[in-house]
Amino acid sequence: MSTVIARAGAAFFVVGALLLIWLAAGSYAPARDGLRLLAAKDDPVALAEAGLDQTLTPARFARGLDDALDAGDDDLARSFVELGRARGLALAAAQQARLAAVEARAKERTVEDFADGFLHGTRDNVAAVAGALTGDLTGYGDLRDLWREGEKIKRGEAPDELVIGLATAGLALSVATLSSVGAILPARSGLTLLKGAQRTGRLSRPLTKSLVAASAKAIDREALAAGMTAAGRLDVAAARAAAARVVRPGPLMTFRALGEDAALLWRRAGARGVTDALALVEDGAELRKAARLAAARGGATRAILATLGRGAIVFGGLTAAAVEALIAFAASLLGLALLAQRFGFWLGRLA
């Protein structure tokens, strides 16, 4: 009888151990991925890599590239090519032919986009941003925007407070750029990108709200009125002199930091990479994370943002499945430990 009991007890422990090992094995991979995301929550580069490992399948890559080509977005398509190269994913022959055709059409628009950027400050490709930056550095672009907002006020319409804030801060930084022999040029160019994104409706709503609040604190209204009067006369010198008084020094440093982060995004991810990021981030801290991601991943940044959205820069919490996997894995390990303890006690009693 004792032999039968011993065999039954041994079988119980073996079956229990096998079940717990099976549970641990099944939950290990999702639990590992969840822990990796938790560890990377404050590092946008590691967070993006963890997200891509979980989501960027060959089918997802091909779909993202096809969507970019369908939209005629040659810059995003090249970003997917760079991301694919880094992760061992290749283009199909048909996709290569479509990419060449899209790039050829984009080259034909270069002169038109530069002129549009200089005159109107719209569009978001390299040529258009170069035109907009040229206009802003000369003072023309910011004066144009202040004049437009001033005309709205004269007509009794509500002006765009953020455009006013960015234009006046831009004029102030233009003066500082000239006096610093270009040391503040990145911040100045970044404000041009922010202003262009606002004019084309590409800023996220939370970021717009926070920047409008910052603009309200930053601007001296009396000096602004003088500056807008000068803008109406297209008097660049007077407008720049007024701009030096319009934006208070403390808030101006906030705009400068935002401009520098946007400029870093531009250098590493391109003009459209900036607008993609500005459509996702909700405050200056998140914009800095996006800039850190762009500094590390360069041209692949747009494809990463298109694939992961805000998940590329902000930890949104674990999914229910990941939480369940972590609980199951921890429970299986605890169960194995308890089972091993009980097995040891059982062997001791047999002896």
Side-chain angles (χ1 to χ4, degrees):
M1 178 66 72
S2 60
T3 302
V4 173
I5 294 175
R7 288 177 178 176
F12 169 79
F13 283 115
V14 169
V15 171
L18 289 175
L19 286 174
L20 288 170
I21 291 171
W22 174 79
L23 178 61
S27 58
Y28 170 72
R32 177 202 60 203
D33 292 341
L35 288 173
R36 186 181 174 195
L37 284 173
L38 280 173
K41 63 186 179 68
D42 296 320
D43 182 349
V45 180
L47 186 63
E49 288 300 309
L52 289 172
D53 286 344
Q54 294 184 34
T55 62
L56 191 66
T57 62
R60 180 76 177 271
F61 170 76
R63 186 167 66 250
L65 178 56
D66 283 336
D67 289 345
L69 294 170
D70 290 342
D73 192 336
D74 61 304
D75 183 75
L76 180 56
R78 285 193 298 270
S79 183
F80 268 103
V81 171
E82 186 164 338
L83 178 62
R85 186 181 300 119
R87 301 184 70 84
L89 299 169
L91 281 70
Q95 290 175 323
Q96 291 177 335
R98 291 184 65 197
L99 176 59
V102 169
E103 289 178 329
R105 288 195 298 272
K107 290 178 181 178
E108 297 173 357
R109 299 195 305 264
T110 299
V111 174
E112 175 190 348
D113 289 343
F114 180 91
D116 187 85
F118 181 87
L119 293 173
H120 307 295
T122 56
R123 303 194 189 181
D124 58 2
N125 56 33
V126 174
V129 170
L133 181 56
T134 300
D136 282 354
L137 285 176
T138 61
Y140 164 77
D142 290 322
L143 286 174
R144 173 202 63 217
D145 294 330
L146 284 175
W147 179 79
R148 285 175 176 167
E149 300 309 316
E151 289 297 300
K152 290 180 183 178
I153 294 173
K154 290 179 182 178
R155 295 193 300 266
E157 300 174 8
D160 189 324
E161 296 288 348
L162 182 51
V163 167
I164 290 175
L166 292 171
T168 51
L171 281 170
L173 286 178
S174 292
V175 175
T177 298
L178 294 173
S179 63
S180 65
V181 198
I184 307 180
L185 180 59
R188 165 63 277 192
S189 62
L191 288 188
T192 294
L193 294 161
L194 284 165
K195 190 171 59 172
Q198 167 66 1
R199 288 177 57 81
T200 55
R202 294 298 305 278
L203 286 185
S204 72
R205 188 169 298 176
L207 181 60
T208 300
K209 185 177 180 180
S210 66
L211 290 179
V212 168
S215 296
K217 296 178 181 178
I219 294 174
D220 181 325
R221 289 289 172 176
E222 291 184 4
L224 175 62
M228 296 183 80
T229 299
R233 300 194 307 267
L234 295 181
D235 186 340
V236 176
R240 280 179 171 166
R245 306 189 309 273
V246 170
V247 185
R248 299 183 177 96
L252 180 60
M253 295 305 295
T254 298
F255 281 107
R256 177 177 174 178
L258 287 167
E260 288 173 345
D261 288 333
L264 176 57
L265 266 162
W266 178 31
R267 290 195 303 272
R268 300 292 292 145
R272 289 178 178 170
V274 179
T275 53
D276 287 352
L278 291 174
L280 292 172
V281 303
E282 296 186 353
D283 53 36
E286 291 184 5
L287 181 61
R288 178 148 296 178
K289 286 184 177 181
R292 285 173 59 193
L293 176 63
R297 294 296 175 259
T301 303
R302 285 198 71 199
I304 293 172
L305 294 177
T307 302
L308 300 177
R310 279 178 54 77
I313 53 177
V314 179
F315 177 65
L318 296 177
T319 64
V323 173
E324 290 174 1
L326 282 169
I327 294 173
F329 186 68
S332 61
L333 293 182
L334 178 61
L336 281 170
L338 292 174
L339 188 64
Q341 181 188 56
R342 298 301 300 172
F343 184 65
F345 290 157
W346 181 74
L347 287 177
R349 287 198 301 270
L350 286 180

